[in-house]
Amino acid sequence: MDAPADGAAGRHHGSVNRGTTDERLLPAVREACLGDARPPVPPRPVIGQSWHRVRLRGLDPEKGGSSPPLPAEEVEQRRQRSPLAALLVQLREGLGSVVDIERHLMAVTDAEGRVLWRQGNPGVLRSADRLGFDVGASWAEELVGTNGIGTSLVERRPVQVRSAEHYVRTHHGWTCAAAPLHDPRDGRLLGVLNVSGPAPVFNPATLPLVTAVAKLGEGELRSRHWESVERLRAVAAPMLARVGGRALVVDRDGWAAAVTGMGPVGRVALPKTVQAGRAWLPSLGLCSLAPLPDGWLVRVEEAPRAELVPNRVVLDVRGPRRWTVTVAGAGGEWSQELSPRHAELLYVLARHPVGRSAAELAADLFGDASRTVTVRAEMSRMRRTLAGVLGHRPYRFADGVDVRLLTPPRGEDLLPASTAPVVLTDRARLPGGPD
């Protein structure tokens, strides 16, 4: 349920929404592409790629698929756990002009595409009900085909889908604009902000507005986070003044509030289950952790025992939207969600145990061996978090680390939005991959 965009949407998502097609041609474009015929004009890349993913899943283009809506109790639990609950008033105010004046609806989903909140014109809400676009429903791309919410979740960037750009015919009366919402503390995908309305009256300027409101929402989350870090810093600074050696105080998410005996630290990757005692932290080595009311006191031990260095890494890229790296050893275990780019990089390194040079990684990811500056910058960021786990010259997982790579059973689900040459090649090799 969404609409198109061109360069006006901004540099970061213009490549996804670039180009427009006369709306009168969209039904013919869809019919030709779904029937393996030559379309009068090609679909926009983001739409064509989404149609391809959905077709490989065997989704019915006339009726689509469905998933039972969540029970009311489960919806309420997800609402209470979601950081997006604190942004509802701000999001609603930012989109008031299109929700009220343009007679559209606003929806906020979680990272799975489940609708948690919905507001808007009563008539439009009733029309949405008939499509199953209700609170608790899933609008993931793999269930209902190409649509703003689901395709934005896959692409991890703003997307519009107009009328017949929807894969499922029953959605052709709608156009929507959607933008993902990320947790600024760790980049974790929290959900999607979406505006939907009747296709004939949908304003093409809605996507830039939705994108801007989503960014403002993320900014509010960032501001609240730093306010909490400042409160912790006021308590931590005098405490660290009495501590010898290298130490720091971090909040519950690992963000440093105060440091002593060492250089500045941004964020520390904490174990999956944090508890008092000794633990190996990837960016610091062996540490002792003590609980504080809103965080942890971390003291760095100067002589780490070899047996506490991590010896196992699990890279899980089985999910269509979420990918994690888990590092484990005698000192404990911790997991971190990965951005699409970092998931691609670690995937390549897991596939090449002997390592890859910067030029080889650039060719793997971009098809251009000259893009070494980008590769080195991304690897530098990852090595700050995965110190002791990643090596360089060449880039690789460190010697003695057992690496396990978990891939999806179907080729089409391997990092589905990635266009990296190495991923495209491996998709074709997995069962269910493109011919």
Side-chain angles (χ1 to χ4, degrees):
M1 300 169 40
D2 317 76
D6 48 26
R11 282 194 341 177
H12 294 290
H13 54 276
S15 60
V16 169
N17 296 285
R18 184 184 297 125
T20 59
T21 302
D22 187 330
E23 195 154 339
R24 293 170 297 181
L25 293 176
L26 291 179
V29 172
R30 173 183 173 275
E31 293 302 318
C33 290
L34 269 56
D36 294 319
R38 184 181 182 86
V41 294
R44 293 187 293 132
V46 66
I47 299 301
Q49 292 161 10
S50 175
W51 286 350
H52 180 69
R53 290 192 296 266
V54 176
R55 285 189 72 189
L56 287 175
R57 286 189 169 274
L59 194 69
D60 186 342
E62 298 301 315
K63 300 178 181 178
S66 63
S67 176
L70 295 175
E73 301 80 18
E74 175 67 15
V75 170
E76 187 56 34
Q77 290 175 10
R78 293 195 183 201
R79 285 174 170 177
Q80 292 177 4
R81 294 195 301 263
S82 175
L84 301 180
L87 301 181
L88 284 180
V89 173
Q90 182 182 33
L91 298 177
R92 179 66 174 79
E93 290 177 350
L95 296 173
S97 60
V98 293
V99 173
D100 296 331
I101 300 173
E102 302 291 344
R103 299 171 65 85
H104 295 328
L105 68 84
M106 178 193 85
V108 179
T109 79
D110 63 13
E112 296 178 1
R114 291 281 185 176
V115 179
L116 298 186
W117 295 278
R118 194 185 70 158
Q119 298 179 14
N121 175 269
V124 175
L125 291 176
R126 287 192 295 271
S127 297
D129 289 341
R130 291 192 287 271
L131 291 177
F133 187 30
D134 200 356
V135 170
S138 173
W139 279 78
E141 188 184 75
E142 58 266 27
L143 286 174
V144 296
T146 306
N147 74 93
I149 292 171
T151 304
S152 181
L153 284 171
V154 173
E155 295 285 346
R156 293 212 176 189
R157 63 187 86 186
V159 173
Q160 283 187 303
V161 183
R162 296 179 297 171
S163 57
E165 288 182 324
H166 289 90
Y167 186 81
V168 178
R169 189 183 301 276
T170 53
H171 303 162
H172 289 185
W174 292 79
T175 288
C176 315
L181 292 152
H182 297 90
D183 190 329
R185 295 171 297 182
D186 55 13
R188 179 169 55 97
L189 182 64
L190 298 176
V192 165
L193 175 63
N194 177 80
V195 168
S196 299
V201 298
F202 203 86
N203 190 330
T206 302
L207 179 61
L209 176 62
V210 171
T211 302
V213 172
K215 290 299 181 186
L216 287 173
E218 291 176 345
E220 176 64 20
L221 291 177
R222 184 178 294 106
S223 176
R224 294 184 182 207
H225 169 237
W226 288 119
E227 287 175 2
S228 69
V229 171
E230 285 298 326
R231 290 193 296 269
L232 182 58
R233 180 173 292 123
V235 175
M239 177 187 301
L240 289 182
R242 300 188 297 270
V243 174
R246 295 191 295 160
L248 65 160
V249 169
V250 300
D251 69 6
R252 297 182 188 277
D253 296 299
W255 287 94
V259 176
T260 187
M262 55 195 298
V265 175
R267 186 182 182 218
V268 173
L270 296 173
K272 194 171 187 178
T273 302
V274 189
Q275 56 186 6
R278 303 173 88 191
W280 188 92
L281 302 183
S283 57
L284 298 173
L286 183 63
C287 299
S288 62
L289 278 65
L292 298 175
D294 294 305
W296 295 89
L297 170 63
V298 181
R299 303 182 70 169
V300 182
E301 299 192 10
E302 300 304 327
R305 297 202 305 268
E307 66 268 21
L308 290 179
V309 174
N311 54 28
R312 187 171 65 258
V313 170
V314 178
L315 176 61
D316 189 344
V317 293
R318 291 174 295 182
R321 291 175 294 277
R322 282 187 161 178
W323 317 283
T324 61
V325 61
T326 300
V327 178
E333 176 180 302
W334 61 268
S335 294
Q336 179 170 309
E337 188 168 325
L338 298 169
S339 69
R341 178 67 72 220
H342 288 179
E344 290 173 335
L345 280 165
L346 291 181
Y347 174 79
V348 174
L349 296 183
R351 291 272 285 104
H352 295 86
V354 298
R356 303 293 273 173
S357 68
E360 288 172 327
L361 281 174
D364 291 332
L365 298 185
F366 309 114
D368 181 356
S370 69
R371 294 185 62 178
T372 56
V373 173
T374 301
V375 166
R376 290 193 178 102
E378 293 293 349
M379 288 301 302
S380 177
R381 294 186 187 99
M382 280 204 301
R383 293 184 69 236
R384 284 197 293 269
T385 299
L386 296 170
V389 176
L390 289 179
H392 66 297
R393 296 179 183 174
Y395 294 114
R396 67 195 187 283
F397 284 101
D399 297 338
V401 175
D402 177 31
V403 180
R404 185 181 180 193
L405 174 62
L406 304 180
T407 57
R410 296 166 58 91
E412 70 215 47
D413 295 328
L414 177 63
L415 301 172
S418 174
T419 57
V422 67
V423 175
L424 297 178
T425 299
D426 286 358
R427 278 191 201 135
R429 293 174 178 167
L430 288 169
D435 296 333

